[in-house]
Amino acid sequence: MPHHVAVLALDGVLPLDLGIPARVFNEACTSDGTRLYSVSTFSPGGRTVRTHEDFRILVDHDESVLKTADTVVIATQEPGEHLLATGTLPGDLAATLDRIRPRTRIVSLCTSAFLLAAAGLLDGLRATTHWALCDTFAELFPDVEVDPNVLFVDNGRILTSAGGAAGIDMCLHLVRRDHGAAIAAAAARRCVAAPWREGGQAQFIEHLVPRDTDRSTSATRQWALKRLAEPITLEDMARHAHMSVRTFTRRFRSEAGISPLKWLAQRRLAHARLLLESTDLPVARIAAACGFGDPVALRKQFHTHLGLSPVAYRRAHNAPEPTTAQ
C-alpha cells in the first residue's frame, strides 16, 4: 500500500504551500511508474477553506482520513491573534490534532510550527519556522529550542520547516528518507526542483541576487562538484573564480547562504550517501571518491551529522551489500 499523506488545510492557508506536499509526493514513483504515496487534503468537518488570498478551496475529505494517515502535513497558516495572545489552540483545532495516531509522522510547513508548539508536540525539541517570526516563536514557546538558521528540522516523528521553498526541501527529504536518493532525485527532476538541500543549510534571509552574473561563484561550484575526490582548499576555489579569498568567501556566502568549505563538506557527504544507497562500493572506496581520504574520516562525518555509521546507513536504505570488506 502507498504511504498515506494527509494534508490539513485551515482557514488562512497559503495556497502555494498547500499544494507542495501533493506536488512532491505524487512524483515519487517506482521504476514502473507506481506511486509510492497517496495524498489526501482535508479540513475540519470537510468544510470549505478560506485561503490567505481572494479565493476559497473545496476539499474532499474530513478528519476521518487521520484513521489511515501515515504522515500528516499541516499546510502553512499564519498564527492568529488568539494563538499569539495565549499560546493555545482553539478547541476544535486541538480536537483535530488529538485525533492523529501516536505513531503518525507529523510535519509543519513554515509558520504552522506555531500550531504544533501550541499543541505541546514540540516541547523539549528543536524546531524552526519562518525566520521573521522565530523571535516571536521563542518568546511564546520557551520549552522549544528554536533554530532560525536552517531550512528544516527532522526530529524523527516530528518535522518542522522554514518558509516557502523549504517545504519542498523537507518533502524531498522525506522521500529520500523513506525510499532513498535515486527516487528522491527523480521526483525533484519532475518537479524541476533542487534535488538536495541539507536541512542545516541557512535560510536565505533578505538575500539579494548578485547583479554581476559574470562574477558569480556558480561555475566554481560546478568545478568543485566534478572534483570531490580531490583535495580542494578555499584558496583553490578562490583561484578558480579569479577572486581573492575574502571576496570569494563573501560572494559565495551571499549566493549559497553558507561558507564555501561548509558547502563543500555537505556536497561530499551527500555524494557519499548516494554511493552508499545505490552502489556496492566498499566504504574505503567511497571515502576516497568523496574526498574524505580514509574510512575513519567518513565514519566521523556520518556519526556527527546522521548519528549512525556508513554501514548502518547502507543497511537502513536496503542498499546493495559490498562485494569486498567494509
Side-chain angles (χ1 to χ4, degrees):
M1 294 291 292
H3 183 108
H4 183 197
V5 179
V7 184
L8 176 57
L10 300 167
D11 281 342
V13 67
L14 271 65
L16 174 62
D17 297 27
L18 178 60
I20 286 174
R23 185 69 181 92
V24 174
F25 290 119
N26 283 336
E27 296 295 352
C29 306
T30 62
S31 57
D32 64 1
T34 302
R35 285 184 173 177
L36 295 167
Y37 299 86
S38 64
V39 183
S40 304
T41 303
F42 75 101
S43 66
R47 295 187 294 271
T48 299
V49 176
R50 175 177 48 80
T51 74
H52 186 269
E53 310 305 333
D54 62 343
F55 58 90
R56 298 171 183 264
I57 295 175
L58 179 65
V59 301
D60 290 339
H61 304 281
D62 60 17
E63 299 96 328
S64 63
V65 301
L66 294 174
K67 297 177 182 178
T68 59
D70 300 298
T71 294
V72 173
V73 180
I74 305 179
T76 305
Q77 184 205 43
E78 295 180 354
E81 293 182 4
H82 172 82
L83 194 157
L84 290 174
T86 67
T88 62
L89 297 174
D92 58 343
L93 179 53
T96 296
L97 297 183
D98 283 342
R99 296 180 65 171
I100 299 175
R101 297 181 298 171
R103 295 187 179 181
T104 298
R105 188 165 59 192
I106 305 174
V107 175
S108 69
L109 300 184
C110 195
T111 49
S112 288
F114 279 79
L115 305 184
L116 296 188
L121 294 170
L122 295 177
D123 287 353
L125 297 179
R126 180 167 158 264
T128 194
T129 187
H130 193 285
W131 61 267
L133 289 178
C134 278
D135 288 344
T136 301
F137 189 98
E139 292 175 6
L140 195 59
F141 304 109
D143 292 333
V144 182
E145 180 187 349
V146 186
D147 189 342
N149 299 313
V150 296
L151 295 178
F152 58 84
V153 174
D154 182 347
N155 288 297
R157 180 185 173 229
I158 297 179
L159 299 90
T160 55
S161 72
I168 299 175
D169 296 310
M170 184 167 62
C171 289
L172 286 170
H173 165 74
L174 288 175
V175 174
R176 182 184 181 107
R177 198 176 98 175
D178 293 344
H179 299 287
I183 288 176
R189 284 195 297 272
R190 285 189 282 269
C191 293
V192 196
W196 181 248
R197 291 201 296 171
E198 292 283 350
Q201 186 166 327
Q203 294 187 36
F204 295 109
I205 302 174
E206 296 182 353
H207 170 59
L208 300 178
V209 176
R211 294 181 180 180
D212 184 3
T213 55
D214 290 338
R215 299 297 287 168
S216 168
T217 63
S218 175
T220 298
R221 292 199 295 274
Q222 294 302 315
W223 172 83
L225 287 174
K226 295 177 181 178
R227 294 166 174 79
L228 291 178
E230 303 173 12
I232 301 174
T233 66
L234 179 59
E235 289 75 14
D236 292 334
M237 298 173 75
R239 189 179 306 112
H240 180 271
H242 304 291
M243 301 179 193
S244 68
V245 169
R246 182 177 180 181
T247 299
F248 175 77
T249 301
R250 183 181 68 251
R251 192 176 294 272
F252 192 105
R253 187 181 289 277
S254 76
E255 294 179 13
I258 56 176
S259 70
L261 293 182
K262 185 175 181 179
W263 173 87
L264 184 61
Q266 288 184 355
R267 294 304 93 208
R268 294 190 194 280
L269 186 62
H271 189 46
R273 292 169 68 165
L274 176 61
L275 292 178
L276 285 166
E277 293 171 15
S278 59
T279 75
D280 62 359
L281 290 173
V283 169
R285 290 272 304 279
I286 291 175
C290 298
F292 289 105
D294 60 69
V296 174
L298 180 62
R299 282 194 288 269
K300 181 178 179 181
Q301 288 296 313
F302 266 71
H303 278 294
T304 298
H305 296 284
L306 303 174
L308 71 172
S309 70
V311 174
Y313 182 87
R314 168 173 267 157
R315 289 172 180 164
H317 287 79
N318 298 313
E321 287 295 330
T323 55
T324 58
Q326 293 283 317

